[in-house]
Amino acid sequence: MKGKYVVSALLAAVVSLAAFAEVTSLRGAQEIGDTNTVAPIKPVPKMQDKLALEYVHQPPLIPHSTEMVQINPSNNGCLQCHDVDKYRRTGAPRVSPTHYMDSNNKILSDVAPRRYFCLQCHVPQADAAPLVENTFKPAGKFGQ
């Protein structure tokens, strides 16, 4: 019983300290009620060279615009060029074999539902300044 009181007291202390901590955001010093000007979306070139991967299992970045690519439950525009039976004809990189496995590593005939929405992991490359400082350094051969 005494342990519950100690834990509760410690939790209350942490919560009260957090209430006094200064909270910052990417909006800067702008108040919530102020009118916010939205930065323009960075242009993505129609085609560009592929960027090097920075870490093991990093999803490759998309070297072209995805503005006209439609992905919804009934259609995946990425598979028009990248599917296993189409990539040779289009010259696009093939979808990884891991995308045809379910969560139990069973091989499927179509892209697994958990891998169907490509833009959850793969994003277009854009030449944009980082929003926050990043000190990440690629390991070994990565980033070359």
Side-chain angles (χ1 to χ4, degrees):
M1 190 67 156
K2 184 178 178 183
K4 287 184 181 179
Y5 289 120
V6 171
V7 171
S8 296
L10 286 173
L11 184 59
V14 168
V15 170
S16 63
L17 285 174
F20 291 110
E22 184 177 329
V23 177
T24 59
S25 76
L26 296 176
R27 290 171 55 102
Q30 187 175 27
E31 294 295 323
I32 291 176
D34 294 345
T35 302
N36 189 11
T37 56
V38 178
I41 295 175
K42 301 292 181 196
V44 176
K46 285 191 178 239
M47 266 320 233
Q48 57 187 325
D49 291 335
K50 295 177 188 174
L51 291 178
L53 299 179
E54 302 289 342
Y55 56 90
V56 179
H57 301 300
Q58 174 187 348
L61 298 174
I62 302 170
H64 58 80
S65 174
T66 58
E67 192 173 323
M68 302 304 288
V69 177
Q70 187 178 76
I71 301 176
N72 58 45
S74 61
N75 179 52
N76 183 328
C78 299
L79 297 177
Q80 302 293 326
C81 297
H82 296 278
D83 203 4
V84 170
D85 60 344
K86 297 179 180 150
Y87 79 96
R88 286 189 183 105
R89 192 172 61 242
T90 63
R94 173 181 57 85
V95 174
S96 169
T98 60
H99 288 49
Y100 289 87
M101 291 186 214
D102 67 9
S103 56
N104 297 319
N105 291 332
K106 178 184 172 198
I107 305 296
L108 306 173
S109 59
D110 290 317
V111 172
R114 67 187 183 139
R115 302 288 187 113
Y116 184 79
F117 294 97
C118 308
L119 299 177
Q120 290 180 125
C121 299
H122 302 277
V123 296
Q125 299 173 169
D127 187 18
L131 295 174
V132 295
E133 182 183 356
N134 182 358
T135 59
F136 177 80
K137 300 279 187 264
K141 301 174 188 175
F142 289 91
Q144 298 176 353

